Amino acid sequence: MLKFFYQSNRIVCRSTGRLFSSFTGIMSEAIDVKKAEIALEKQRKKEYKSRYDGSKKRCNWVTTPPSGTTEEGPEGKKACLEPFVRIKRKKSVVLLGYAGKDYYGMQRNPDVKTVEQELLSAMLKHKWITEEAYNMPQSIAFQRAARTDKGVSAVRQCVSLKLPLELDVPALNTDLPKEIRVFAVRTVTQGFNSKNDCMARTYTYTLPTIALDKDAWKDTAVDTVMEGYRIPREIIEKFGDVLKKYEGTKNYHNFTIKKEHLDPSAKRYITSFTTGEPFVVKDVEFMVLKVTGQSFMMHQIRKMVGLALSIIRGHENIDMLDKAFTAERIYIPRAPGLGLVLDRLHYDRYNRRYGNDGIHCPLTWEEFEEEIQQFVREQIYPIITETEITDKPFLNWLEMKLSNHNYAGRSMDDQENSEDEDEWQDEGKATKKVTQDVDLPENIVNEEPMKSVS
């Protein structure tokens, strides 16, 4: 700070001894001094040497160093001299299909073969996800649209998670089993959830048409009965009428486990349940059923098919279907899981809001339809039909279980359900254990009460 005093009617600077005759001169001197101080400070900063050596790359410290590395790090750890790279990730949705015959469902479970385990392993190998994300998928907001049961397949399954922007889908498929195929990856909104944003799901169920006709093989051996049979049109129409009774909002507590009649989540809305046209494979006639609903509970679709077959085959009358929706507890047979396929997921609300915003694409997948259908023809339906023709699991189920089913007591099929009840826990919790006889759920979503939509 400059100080001044008067001497002989003149102003004198104490620091420099200079004489000034006016205030302008004083200000000019003050500015010169300030500039000198600033220059001195800059010179001092240039002479300071930082402790950081910019010639060294940023390191990730690891316990086991790469071969030839001797540099010591914190707490005796070795330095991995690979540069640290931050990868930008965005919320994405992965479209995939799989044949589920040899898998214990979609969801990853310890010590069993699942679709999710194969998918995450391939993603880790190709650096789509980190090892931390592989061990804790919730850290990258991983969510499946539907949990499919043991042996159940999917044509258009979706999972949402955070992924890098640049991905090589064909390369990933080379490290997936041939029964699993990723068709496409698309970026979505940050808040997208493949389960919660799905408005409806469509499943198909493939079965031999002879299963609808009890009189076609009651005096014939199961091993020779299927070839050459063609179902009459009137049986298909009658079966369609039975399936139509499922449509609308109803209480399905008898079509799953661990649900009571007063539980609001037992109410589900079914949009449609129809029969398709029969088709022939190796002289054996098959038919595809198609059901669309907002959501489905554990075993729900398989029990719906089981009860409808019991009625059409004459084991029970149509009144049993109405009784199943009442508060009374009855035990409904569960059809085999082989023919059940998750066909389509409906994201209508998301598509209307974001599909044409100029940033995101609608989740309709038309441009991949040819690849999807080729996968279905090669991997999904041949496994279903060939297994049925060769091993006849559906006809064996009709003969051994459905014909002996007890709706009021603990049947063989219901005993399997009781085993599931011991093993199964709600979504988001770990299963206690998984054994060879346990079926994982078809799809547990939207636990709120179902509402009818116009």
Side-chain angles (χ1 to χ4, degrees):
M1 181 177 178
L2 299 179
K3 295 184 178 181
F4 301 88
F5 65 93
Y6 283 95
Q7 181 181 351
S8 303
N9 296 328
R10 291 183 296 178
I11 302 174
V12 181
C13 177
R14 288 185 184 275
S15 302
T16 62
R18 293 182 59 184
L19 302 178
F20 300 95
S21 58
S22 65
F23 180 76
T24 304
I26 294 174
M27 294 303 298
S28 177
E29 177 71 8
I31 292 172
D32 290 341
V33 172
K34 187 65 176 176
K35 287 182 178 179
E37 292 177 351
I38 293 174
L40 184 63
E41 179 67 18
K42 288 183 177 180
Q43 182 65 28
R44 187 186 66 81
K45 288 183 177 180
K46 287 182 179 179
E47 293 176 354
Y48 172 75
K49 185 176 181 180
S50 174
R51 290 176 295 173
Y52 172 72
D53 186 356
S55 63
K56 293 184 179 180
K57 296 181 180 180
R58 182 175 178 180
C59 299
N60 294 322
W61 299 99
V62 295
T63 303
T64 305
S67 178
T69 301
T70 59
E71 186 174 349
E72 292 287 340
E75 299 178 0
K77 296 180 180 180
K78 303 296 182 179
C80 173
L81 295 180
E82 294 181 1
F84 176 84
V85 179
R86 185 178 298 277
I87 300 176
K88 185 176 181 181
R89 299 175 183 274
K90 293 200 68 175
K91 180 64 79 66
S92 305
V93 60
V94 178
L95 176 70
L96 70 152
Y98 51 86
K101 179 178 179 292
D102 297 326
Y103 292 88
Y104 285 81
M106 171 68 181
Q107 183 181 4
R108 182 164 60 169
N109 278 276
D111 304 322
V112 293
K113 185 179 179 181
T114 64
V115 175
E116 201 170 288
Q117 176 66 37
E118 299 283 0
L119 179 64
L120 291 174
S121 297
M123 286 183 172
L124 177 62
K125 182 176 180 179
H126 288 266
K127 298 182 179 180
W128 287 26
I129 60 175
T130 63
E131 187 170 354
E132 177 187 4
Y134 173 81
N135 294 324
M136 292 192 303
Q138 62 269 27
S139 66
I140 53 172
F142 182 92
Q143 180 62 62
R144 67 198 70 80
R147 283 191 294 189
T148 51
D149 203 351
K150 170 187 172 183
V152 177
S153 303
V155 176
R156 299 173 188 85
Q157 170 73 287
C158 286
V159 296
S160 55
L161 69 165
K162 294 180 180 179
L163 290 176
L165 297 179
E166 297 183 3
L167 300 171
D168 191 342
V169 174
L172 183 77
N173 283 325
T174 60
D175 283 299
L176 285 172
K178 60 182 176 56
E179 300 89 5
I180 304 174
R181 178 76 56 81
V182 171
F183 301 117
V185 180
R186 280 180 175 165
T187 57
V188 289
T189 59
Q190 189 65 24
F192 178 83
N193 184 296
S194 60
K195 183 186 78 170
N196 296 338
D197 287 324
C198 185
M199 294 183 63
R201 295 150 177 86
T202 296
Y203 282 82
T204 63
Y205 193 93
T206 304
L207 74 167
T209 57
I210 196 171
L212 278 61
D213 190 351
K214 181 181 179 181
D215 297 329
W217 54 291
K218 61 182 179 180
D219 297 324
T220 308
V222 173
D223 293 339
T224 59
V225 71
M226 296 174 65
E227 289 78 6
Y229 175 82
R230 301 295 180 264
I231 191 169
R233 174 58 59 177
E234 56 268 22
I235 296 181
I236 296 179
E237 294 174 354
K238 184 179 178 181
F239 190 55
D241 293 338
V242 175
L243 296 179
K244 194 171 183 63
K245 288 186 173 291
Y246 287 115
E247 296 177 0
T249 301
K250 301 181 186 297
N251 192 310
Y252 283 91
H253 76 103
N254 278 319
F255 292 82
T256 186
I257 61 173
K258 303 179 79 170
K259 292 286 184 184
E260 298 299 330
H261 182 261
L262 295 179
D263 190 337
S265 66
K267 290 186 178 180
R268 302 284 156 150
Y269 176 63
I270 305 300
T271 307
S272 64
F273 204 161
T274 59
T275 61
E277 289 298 319
F279 62 95
V280 177
V281 177
K282 295 184 178 180
D283 202 31
V284 176
E285 189 178 57
F286 291 87
M287 183 169 61
V288 176
L289 314 179
K290 181 175 288 189
V291 56
T292 300
Q294 284 185 333
S295 62
F296 299 94
M297 296 180 292
M298 183 178 183
H299 303 324
Q300 181 182 340
I301 296 176
R302 293 167 63 185
K303 285 179 174 285
M304 292 165 71
V305 173
L307 181 55
L309 286 172
S310 183
I311 293 171
I312 199 68
R313 290 175 58 81
H315 301 306
E316 292 292 336
N317 56 42
I318 196 68
D319 294 337
M320 180 59 73
L321 184 56
D322 297 326
K323 185 178 179 180
F325 298 123
T326 66
E328 182 179 352
R329 171 63 68 183
I330 62 174
Y331 301 98
I332 297 175
R334 184 179 65 194
L338 177 66
L340 186 60
V341 177
L342 173 61
D343 184 68
R344 191 178 298 272
L345 302 167
H346 303 267
Y347 293 101
D348 299 344
R349 184 185 296 114
Y350 175 87
N351 291 337
R352 286 195 300 268
R353 185 170 182 180
Y354 301 107
N356 298 309
D357 63 358
I359 302 175
H360 306 96
C361 297
L363 304 181
T364 50
W365 317 109
E366 289 92 347
E367 60 268 44
F368 304 100
E369 193 61 29
E370 183 177 349
E371 183 181 357
I372 293 172
Q373 292 303 322
Q374 181 180 353
F375 179 77
V376 171
R377 291 191 300 268
E378 294 177 355
Q379 295 297 334
I380 295 183
Y381 283 111
I383 292 178
I384 295 174
T385 56
E386 290 294 334
T387 303
E388 191 58 54
I389 292 172
T390 304
D391 301 332
K392 299 178 174 57
F394 204 95
L395 295 192
N396 289 326
W397 173 79
L398 291 173
E399 186 176 48
M400 301 298 296
K401 290 190 175 182
L402 186 63
S403 59
N404 301 317
H405 187 80
N406 182 3
Y407 288 83
R410 307 291 288 181
S411 67
M412 292 176 59
D413 190 62
D414 189 63
Q415 177 62 33
E416 292 178 6
N417 279 348
S418 70
E419 292 174 0
D420 284 348
E421 288 183 274
D422 293 337
E423 307 298 333
W424 175 250
Q425 296 183 2
D426 291 336
E427 172 105 31
K429 301 179 182 178
T431 51
K432 296 178 183 177
K433 63 177 181 177
V434 181
T435 64
Q436 192 171 8
D437 296 326
V438 173
D439 283 349
L440 299 179
E442 292 167 8
N443 183 19
I444 296 182
V445 290
N446 298 345
E447 289 299 318
E448 300 78 20
M450 295 296 100
K451 300 178 181 179
S452 299
V453 292
S454 57

